[in-house]
Amino acid sequence: IDWTDSIKEAQKNWIGRSEGTSLKFKVQSSKLEEDSFMEVFTTRPDTIFGVSFVTLAPEHDLVDKVTTPDRKSEVDAYVTFAKNRSERDRMSDVKKITGVFTGGYVLHPFTGKQIPIWIGDYVLAGYGTGAVMAVPGHDERDYAFAKHFGLDILEVVEGGDLSKES
């Protein structure tokens, strides 16, 4: 398409564009090859040591592969629930926190610590990789999710009160 320079420039700088990087977490699953990784996109790689869980979009290709047999029925029910909500509803309904633990884990790329894999409808398959490295100490949505489900909240950047907010 032969677009004008102004349209090309607008596309380069579109609203919602995020600058960041991709990181890979090794997946612990008997359903995958030994060296399988989950790629996440982050705008804040400096907070990598604050990751306490990862969250997949309900539509993510890895959901079935990381879900353990004992969690399968609950995960399947949640995926069905989430897939029946529009992306607009999922993005705008920030007060309703929903999610489910898959039973699976990834390994932290630097510490080797096991990090639980959750599914949450606040993660969208079409944004980034459809997987989020959750840093609840420094992200509002991750904070709300962690508080709701009783997950760890780690401080990496000083200056706030994690008992009140990210």
Side-chain angles (χ1 to χ4, degrees), residues 20-110:
T21 190
S22 291
L23 297 170
K24 292 184 178 182
F25 289 77
K26 186 173 182 177
V27 178
Q28 303 261 269
S29 175
S30 60
K31 298 177 192 174
L32 292 168
E33 295 177 20
E34 188 174 325
D35 286 330
S36 293
F37 292 87
M38 175 188 302
E39 186 175 356
V40 301
F41 173 80
T42 181
T43 59
R44 294 287 311 268
D46 59 323
T47 62
I48 184 70
F49 290 101
V51 175
S52 60
F53 60 98
V54 295
T55 314
L56 295 175
E59 307 85 2
H60 198 285
D61 292 341
L62 285 177
V63 169
D64 286 335
K65 296 174 178 124
V66 300
T67 300
T68 58
D70 61 316
R71 306 292 303 169
K72 184 165 177 33
S73 63
E74 188 176 358
V75 167
D76 288 349
Y78 181 75
V79 168
T80 299
F81 158 77
K83 283 183 177 179
N84 285 319
R85 298 183 71 207
S86 71
E87 277 195 10
R88 182 183 301 254
D89 288 342
R90 289 166 56 183
M91 289 171 49
S92 64
D93 192 4
V94 294
K95 293 188 190 292
K96 185 176 183 180
I97 298 168
T98 67
V100 65
F101 176 52
T102 65
Y105 294 88
V106 294
L107 297 179
H108 191 286
F110 295 107

Side-chain angles (χ1 to χ4, degrees), residues 52-53 97 136 141-153:
S52 60
F53 60 98
I97 298 168
R141 291 172 308 162
D142 296 342
Y143 182 85
F145 194 89
K147 278 291 204 184
H148 184 80
F149 290 107
L151 302 170
D152 291 341
I153 299 173

